[in-house]
Amino acid sequence: MTRDLSTRILHADRQAGVEHGATHKPLHIATGFGYERAEDLAAVFQGDRSGYVYGRQGNPTTAALEAKVTLMEDAVGTVSFATGMAAIVSTMMALLQRGDHVVASRFLFGNTASWFNTLTQMGCEVTLVDATEAANVEQALRPQTRMVFVETIANPRTQVADLEGIGKLCHARGIVYIVDNTLTTPALFKGKAVGASLVVHSLSKGICGHGNALGGSVSDTGLFDWSSYPNLLPAYRKGPPANWGLLQVRKKGLRDLGGTLSAEHGHRIATGAETLMLRMERACSNALALARWLETSPLVAKVHYPGLASHPQHARAAKLFRHFGGLFSFETVDGIDPFDVLNALQLVIKSSHLGDNRTLALPAARTIFWEMGEEMRRSMDIADSLIRVSAGIEAEADLLDDFGQAFETLEMTK
Ligand SMILES: *Cc1c(COP(=O)(O)O)cnc(C)c1O
């Protein structure tokens, strides 16, 4: 019998054998690794033997975290990075060349959207489409399209991409399909289930959970046939083709660009991951309770949460995800300033982070989506009054109470 993912995450380190029988993988802070014989050092450099050489390419602590993410995504391998952005940018820098074309969802994490502008300046072409329908992605494809990039649940408006439809399309056309699984995490969804080639994570969010470490990862599901991918260097076409893509990401993306995850942060993320399943259950049920409550408030114009029957992709989310996620957003009615709502909250923290154990909220248009300007915000459906909430794991009653007292204060002063 296959054990539950929650059990397997907890025992992942020990199964690979931990030094001194420790129940945790230890924190290895060494920058360099030495060998008795020069031949052995050379063999590791030449890829004929596995081992560590210099910390920029990883160390035993980050390798243990990578193995844990591989297990969580049911993947064949993972490379970790210093942040989620480092993972996304390094993966694309490693696998794309000038003249290549990328299709991406136009509902994206703001910094990913900003990176696509940079990628365009560097000679790749990027087409942004409404990825809630695979047909829009299909129409945008060109002979030079190498990659399609989507998020499972988009931040902050919670659109759910047509993950299955796009997966089928990419498979049929031999295009690398990258799914950013940060908002759902493997506790709710695995990219492999919809045919993703690569799954990226900001490990800083739900997988770490405690808001005390930054990290990112990219995992290869083993579904993509890298022998047909034109941008791989001959040096990395070694061994089984399923490993080629990730090998180039490790060498070109991690080693050459240097966005390495520190051992200390890797260790904290690995500890956080042990309770991922428990924390996500609570965060998702808190998000659902708050979203339902807000939907009934006269001060709220709209609530965006895939767990509500009113959400346009509710049925898709119910089919694909174990729960509906910890993130939702809402728009206030005219005359209610989102700043006043946020300032009236006493327990909820005004912060830009998400996937934290604490409930966090922010005025999206005036913070994380400010720099891109009004026109871009409009194209991403981000209303000026939009408040994004990342539900934490507090007691549900305390969160409902906090929103209740805040809205009462606003009604009185309206
Ligand atoms: C936060 C986030 C990222 C970037 O991750 P960092 O660790 O903050 O660099 C990428 N994608 C999504 C969906 C995110 O929420």
Side-chain angles (χ1 to χ4, degrees):
M1 193 187 100
T2 311
R3 293 194 174 109
D4 189 73
L5 183 58
S6 57
T7 309
R8 286 187 290 135
I9 293 172
L10 283 167
H11 293 274
D13 289 350
R14 255 176 7 97
Q15 256 150 26
V18 177
E19 299 86 325
H20 313 295
T23 51
H24 273 268
K25 184 72 185 176
L27 179 53
H28 287 272
I29 53 171
T31 307
F33 297 84
Y35 291 83
E36 284 300 319
R37 290 158 37 87
E39 288 85 347
D40 293 338
L41 178 63
V44 174
F45 261 91
Q46 292 172 21
D48 295 328
R49 214 192 110 158
S50 68
Y52 302 95
V53 285
Y54 181 59
R56 194 183 336 102
Q57 290 179 70
N59 76 24
T61 305
T62 54
L65 173 65
E66 288 170 355
K68 205 172 275 192
V69 176
T70 298
L71 178 150
M72 293 197 285
E73 283 294 349
D74 196 11
V76 296
T78 297
V79 182
S80 60
F81 291 89
T83 62
M85 285 316 301
I88 291 168
V89 171
S90 305
T91 298
M92 294 193 194
M93 292 288 279
L95 296 177
L96 293 171
Q97 291 183 1
R98 190 178 332 121
D100 285 347
H101 177 241
V102 178
V103 178
S105 165
R106 72 180 159 86
F107 310 120
L108 285 175
F109 176 67
N111 302 149
T112 307
S114 172
W115 152 249
F116 278 126
N117 286 336
T118 310
L119 186 63
T120 305
Q121 286 161 5
M122 293 175 64
C124 288
E125 288 195 59
V126 181
T127 309
L128 300 180
V129 300
D130 178 348
T132 59
E133 308 233 6
N136 296 333
V137 173
E138 184 165 22
Q139 268 171 16
L141 296 180
R142 304 177 191 168
Q144 307 82 4
T145 309
R146 296 267 171 265
M147 226 174 241
V148 173
F149 182 98
V150 300
E151 295 172 5
T152 50
I153 300 178
N155 160 21
R157 280 275 279 93
T158 74
Q159 296 94 339
V160 180
D162 184 356
L163 295 159
E164 282 181 303
I166 299 169
K168 285 188 190 126
L169 185 63
C170 289
H171 182 74
R173 305 288 184 92
I175 294 169
V176 176
Y177 181 27
I178 307 188
V179 173
D180 182 334
N181 194 18
T182 300
L183 272 276
T184 22
T185 81
L188 308 188
F189 171 75
K190 288 184 179 59
K192 195 175 183 178
V194 294
S197 325
L198 300 173
V199 181
V200 298
H201 280 287
S202 166
L203 300 173
S204 326
K205 311 286 173 54
I207 290 183
C208 175
H210 295 69
N212 59 0
L214 295 168
S217 64
V218 55
S219 303
D220 191 322
T221 60
L223 296 178
F224 188 76
D225 175 14
W226 291 103
S227 66
S228 68
Y229 195 72
N231 296 349
L232 296 186
L233 297 165
Y236 308 133
R237 293 173 177 270
K238 254 191 183 180
N243 300 338
W244 295 357
L246 212 58
L247 183 60
Q248 182 151 315
V249 169
R250 188 177 290 283
K251 298 289 187 177
K252 295 276 119 189
L254 183 65
R255 186 196 62 193
D256 293 7
L257 299 178
T260 308
L261 177 65
S262 78
E264 297 213 13
H265 281 212
H267 191 264
R268 279 184 221 156
I269 292 165
T271 307
E274 293 186 356
T275 52
L276 173 70
M277 307 292 279
L278 283 174
R279 290 184 289 100
M280 284 303 282
E281 297 262 342
R282 176 70 89 98
C284 294
S285 67
N286 279 344
L288 183 61
L290 287 172
R292 281 187 178 148
W293 186 85
L294 287 162
E295 214 179 20
T296 63
S297 166
L299 305 189
V300 172
K302 269 188 206 155
V303 184
H304 308 289
Y305 183 61
L308 297 176
S310 58
H311 190 283
Q313 292 94 38
H314 173 67
R316 177 181 294 160
K319 179 181 172 209
L320 293 178
F321 309 145
R322 195 149 168 263
H323 302 293
F324 298 100
L327 189 117
F328 67 89
S329 56
F330 65 98
E331 295 163 32
T332 52
V333 295
D334 280 348
I336 295 291
D337 187 333
F339 279 22
D340 291 339
V341 175
L342 289 162
N343 289 334
L345 292 166
Q346 292 172 359
L347 179 63
V348 174
I349 305 172
K350 290 165 274 294
S351 169
S352 67
H353 186 40
L354 63 88
D356 193 291
N357 286 339
R358 288 145 281 256
T359 299
L360 315 172
L362 92 176
R366 285 186 255 178
T367 53
I368 49 174
F369 291 93
W370 179 251
E371 187 186 299
M372 64 177 53
E374 202 180 333
E375 196 182 321
M376 184 76 177
R377 279 199 295 278
R378 207 172 309 124
S379 81
M380 295 172 90
D381 272 342
I382 296 168
D384 285 344
S385 76
L386 192 77
I387 292 176
R388 183 188 81 184
V389 181
S390 168
I393 59 169
E394 297 93 341
E396 180 186 305
D398 290 328
L399 290 173
L400 289 171
D401 217 43
D402 196 31
F403 276 89
Q405 66 76 27
F407 277 53
E408 227 166 84
T409 313
L410 289 171
E411 299 234 17
M412 282 186 309
T413 55
K414 198 165 70 161

